[in-house]
Amino acid sequence: MPKIDLDSIEQKNRTGYPPPFDRAVAGRLVRRLSPATGLTDFGVSHVVLKPGAWSSQRHWHDGEDEFVVMLDGEAVLVEDEGRVILGPGDLAVFPKGTGNGHHLCNESDRDCVFVVFGGGVCTGGGYSDIDMLFTPEGEYVHKDGTPYAKRRV
Amino acid sequence: MPKIDLDSIEQKNRTGYPPPFDRAVAGRLVRRLSPATGLTDFGVSHVVLKPGAWSSQRHWHDGEDEFVVMLDGEAVLVEDEGRVILGPGDLAVFPKGTGNGHHLCNESDRDCVFVVFGGGVCTGGGYSDIDMLFTPEGEYVHKDGTPYAKRRV
C-alpha cells in the first residue's frame, strides 16, 4: 500500500557543507522519500529539526522550485524581507531563480517536522549570508569561484 | 513572504467528469497553488473533502508521479489491495505507471484536508472502477476509445 512507513526509511544527518557552515545543520534529520518510494518526477524529503537546528544555510536555487508543508512544531522562516513563524498545516513556496534566500530555523525547545518538495533541474544557486555558491556539478565554491574542499551530498 | 495565504486563493469544486461520475466529487473543494504562487516544476493543490466526498474517481496516471500529505481529518485511501486510513501527518505516494488506481474517500462526519503534488508529463491514465480513460489531450474516453462529451478541467 502507498502509505509511507517512515520508520522503514533511514534518517540521516549528513551534510556536505564545509566547516563551519555544517554546524547549523547538525541537528537536522532527513529521510529522502523519493528514492525509497519509486518517485522520479520530483524530490521529497521528511525533515526533523532538533531545537536550535536549521534546515540549511539560507539559500536559493536557480533552477528548482521548492515547497514546504509544516507538519508539527514551529519553525522560523527567514527570507530577505524578514521572519515569519510556520506551524502545523502552514505551507510555504519558493519559486526558483528569485535570488532571495530562505531557510527554516527551529528556535523552539522541541522538535519541528516538515516535508519539503523540490523539482526542476539543478543549475546552481547561492547562499545569502555566507561566502558560498553551489554549482550544477555539486561543488561548493566561494563567490569568487574558488572551490571549497567539500561537495554537496 | 513565501508563506501561503490560503484565503487569498479561490476554492473551486468544478470537475470535467461526465455524469454520473461527477457526483462523487461534488463535495471536493480545490485550491490550485502552483499557478497562484509561481511554481512551474510541479503541481500542488490544497484539497478539502466534505463528508461523503471523494478526491477523484479511483484512477492512475501513466506519466505523472503523485504524493499526498494529509493535514487534517481522516480519509480512506483505496487501491487494488484494499483500504487504509490516512490521518494528519500521514504521507502517501503513487508512482506513475502502476495501473493500480487510488483515491481518497471521506467516510467521516467532518471535513478532511490534504495537499497533493503531481509531477511529470500527462501521457494519459485510467479509472479502475468505471468505463473511462483519460488521454494526453485531456479527453475522457470509454475503454473502447469512444469519447465522452466532456473534457478534463
Side-chain angles (χ1 to χ4, degrees):
Chain A
M1 288 293 290
K3 181 175 170 177
I4 296 179
D5 175 13
L6 287 174
D7 292 338
S8 71
I9 301 174
E10 190 182 1
Q11 218 171 19
K12 297 183 179 176
N13 76 334
R14 64 185 188 151
T15 177
Y17 284 162
F21 309 137
D22 53 348
R23 283 183 212 146
V25 297
R28 178 190 65 183
L29 305 173
V30 179
R31 290 183 174 97
R32 292 191 183 273
L33 304 185
S34 287
T37 61
L39 293 190
T40 55
D41 287 332
F42 46 84
V44 193
S45 292
H46 178 274
V47 182
V48 176
L49 297 183
K50 308 302 280 183
W54 293 1
S55 61
S56 63
Q57 295 286 341
R58 193 158 79 85
H59 73 286
W60 71 87
H61 294 268
D62 291 333
E64 297 153 284
D65 287 338
E66 269 190 281
F67 195 104
V68 164
V69 182
M70 282 296 293
L71 291 182
D72 195 29
E74 187 177 289
V76 181
L77 164 61
V78 185
E79 274 210 331
D80 287 348
E81 292 80 2
R83 298 157 50 91
V84 64
I85 303 289
L86 297 183
D90 281 339
L91 309 175
V93 60
F94 310 101
K96 59 190 170 189
T98 64
N100 185 349
H102 62 270
H103 64 172
L104 304 186
C105 303
N106 185 354
E107 300 182 1
S108 79
D109 58 5
R110 69 179 190 92
D111 292 1
C112 75
V113 183
F114 61 90
V115 185
V116 57
F117 295 77
V121 176
C122 180
T123 57
Y127 297 87
S128 306
D129 306 321
I130 59 178
D131 178 24
M132 195 161 78
L133 303 171
F134 61 92
T135 72
E137 295 76 30
E139 292 170 324
Y140 290 118
V141 298
H142 294 264
K143 288 181 178 173
D144 69 3
T146 314
Y148 284 94
K150 295 191 72 176
R151 291 179 63 85
R152 295 179 81 199
V153 294
Chain B
M1 289 293 289
K3 181 175 169 178
I4 296 178
D5 175 12
L6 287 175
D7 292 338
S8 71
I9 301 173
E10 189 182 1
Q11 217 172 20
K12 297 181 179 176
N13 76 334
R14 63 186 187 149
T15 178
Y17 284 161
F21 308 137
D22 54 347
R23 283 183 212 147
V25 296
R28 177 190 65 183
L29 305 172
V30 179
R31 290 184 174 96
R32 292 191 182 273
L33 304 185
S34 287
T37 60
L39 294 189
T40 55
D41 288 331
F42 46 84
V44 193
S45 292
H46 178 274
V47 183
V48 176
L49 297 183
K50 309 301 279 184
W54 293 0
S55 61
S56 63
Q57 294 287 340
R58 192 159 78 87
H59 73 288
W60 71 86
H61 294 268
D62 291 333
E64 296 153 284
D65 287 339
E66 270 189 281
F67 195 104
V68 163
V69 182
M70 282 297 292
L71 293 181
D72 195 30
E74 187 177 289
V76 181
L77 164 59
V78 185
E79 275 210 331
D80 287 349
E81 291 80 3
R83 298 157 50 91
V84 63
I85 303 289
L86 297 183
D90 281 339
L91 309 174
V93 61
F94 310 101
K96 58 191 170 189
T98 65
N100 185 348
H102 62 271
H103 64 171
L104 304 186
C105 303
N106 185 354
E107 299 182 1
S108 80
D109 57 6
R110 70 180 189 92
D111 292 359
C112 75
V113 183
F114 62 89
V115 186
V116 57
F117 296 76
V121 176
C122 180
T123 56
Y127 297 88
S128 307
D129 306 321
I130 59 177
D131 176 24
M132 193 161 79
L133 303 171
F134 61 92
T135 71
E137 296 76 30
E139 292 171 324
Y140 291 118
V141 299
H142 294 264
K143 289 181 177 173
D144 69 3
T146 314
Y148 283 94
K150 295 192 71 175
R151 291 179 63 86
R152 294 179 82 199
V153 293

